[in-house]
Amino acid sequence: MRWDNLRLADPGRADPAAPLFARGAVTRTFDTPGFRGMTFYEIQARSIVNRVPAASRVPFEYTINPYRGCGHRCVYCFARKTHEYLDLDAGADFDSKIVVKVNAAELARKELAAPRWRGQHVAMGTNVDCYQRAEGRYRLMRGILAALRDAANPFSVLTKGTLILRDLDLLTEAADRAEVGANLSVGFVDADVWRSVEPGTPAPHRRLETCATLNDNGIACGVLMAPILPYLTDSPAQLDRTVREIAQAGATHITPIVLHLRPGAREWWLAWLSREHPRLVPRYLELYGRGAYAPKAYQERVTAQVRALAEHHGVGRAPAADPPLRPGRGSPARARRASGRIRG
Ligand code: SF4
C-alpha cells in the first residue's frame, strides 16, 4: 500500500516544508516519556482491508494495518523497507515517525459490510505491530475489533504488545461468533539481547504472560518464535530455555523462524551488529552473503531443534484453560478453541 490510497486529514494543518506524505497529514508530538522524540502523522486512509499480492508467500489473503512504522523499534524488523515508500528512511524514521490511519475503524466497518466482501479471514499485525505503543493513545484496534465482531468475521492477531489484553472483552465477544486466533511473537527470552535488539517492546516474559492470559480466557494463542538470531540466541541452552518458557505459558503451538534480512532491515541490522558485536559481522556476512535468508541447512537444523524441544517440553499438550461456557456462548469456534486446534 502506498500513499495513493491515503488523503489529507486536515488540509489546514499541512506543513509545506514536510516530506511528501507529511504534507497531507496532521502532525502530532506528545511530551510524555513513552512518546518523546516520536512524531505521529494522522492521515485518512482511503481503504483499510488490504489484499495481499498473489506473489506473497504468506498464509493469509487479507490484512488490516492501522499503523505504518513501529515504536517497538526491533532492529531486525522486516517492515523497515516499507517506510521508504513514504519518503522516509527505513532506520530511525521507521522507529520514530509513525503514520496513524485515524479512520481505520470507520473504514473497517464499511468495508466488512460491503456486498462484495465474503467474510474471509483477516490477519492483523502482519506488517507492523497493531498493539505498538501508539495504540495505547489512538485506540484504533477497539473500533476495528468491534467491526469484526459485529460482522462475525474470522481474524487473527500477531503482536509483541501486552496491550492486546486491554481488548480481551472484544476478543472474547468476537470469538463467540467467528474463529479468532492470536500469536505472541517471542523469538528469545534473554533479557540482555531483548533490551538491545527490541528496545521498545514489552519484556519477553510479559509477552508470555499475555499468551497465558489469552489462553486462560479462551482465545487460542500460540507463539511465533521469531526471529531466532544466529550466534546470539541460537545456542542449545538458549533454545531450550525459550521453548521451555513458551511451553510453561501454555502456548497452543510454536512456530520457529530464523532471522531473515531483506533490504532495509539488512543495513540497519548490520550497522547495529558492527557497533554491538563486531566480531560477529564476518559470520553474518557468511550466513547472509547470498541473500536475505540463512542457508537452508542452518534453518532446518534450528527448526528441528525447536520442534524436538517443543515435543520434549510439551508445547500444545497443556490444554488451554477454558472458562465455563455461559448461556449462548457455546459456539463451534469456542469448542474447537478448547481443543487447541485453531492456529493464529
Ligand atoms: S514489533 Fe514487529 S513491526 Fe514492530 S518493530 Fe518489532 S518486528 Fe517490527
Side-chain angles (χ1 to χ4, degrees), residues 76 227-230 257-261 269 284 288 292-294 298:
Y76 52 74
I228 296 167
L229 304 171
I257 300 179
V258 170
L259 175 74
H260 49 80
L261 292 174
W269 175 264
Y284 265 79
Y288 293 93
Y293 294 89
Y298 174 87

Side-chain angles (χ1 to χ4, degrees), residues 69-80 94-95 125-130 132 158-161 185 197-198 201 226-227:
C70 185
H72 280 160
R73 311 200 313 273
C74 305
V75 180
Y76 52 74
C77 181
F78 74 96
R80 289 185 173 280
F94 178 86
D95 296 341
T126 56
N127 185 33
V128 301
D129 203 322
C130 51
Q132 59 178 284
L158 168 65
T159 185
K160 286 190 178 85
S185 170
V197 174
E198 301 170 335
T201 61

Side-chain angles (χ1 to χ4, degrees), residues 7 38 57 84 110 136 155 169 175 228 231 317 334:
R7 63 189 162 79
M38 299 185 73
R57 293 183 302 167
E84 293 178 358
K110 188 171 138 202
F155 66 88
D169 56 337
I228 296 167
Y231 314 122
R317 281 208 293 274
R334 193 171 179 79

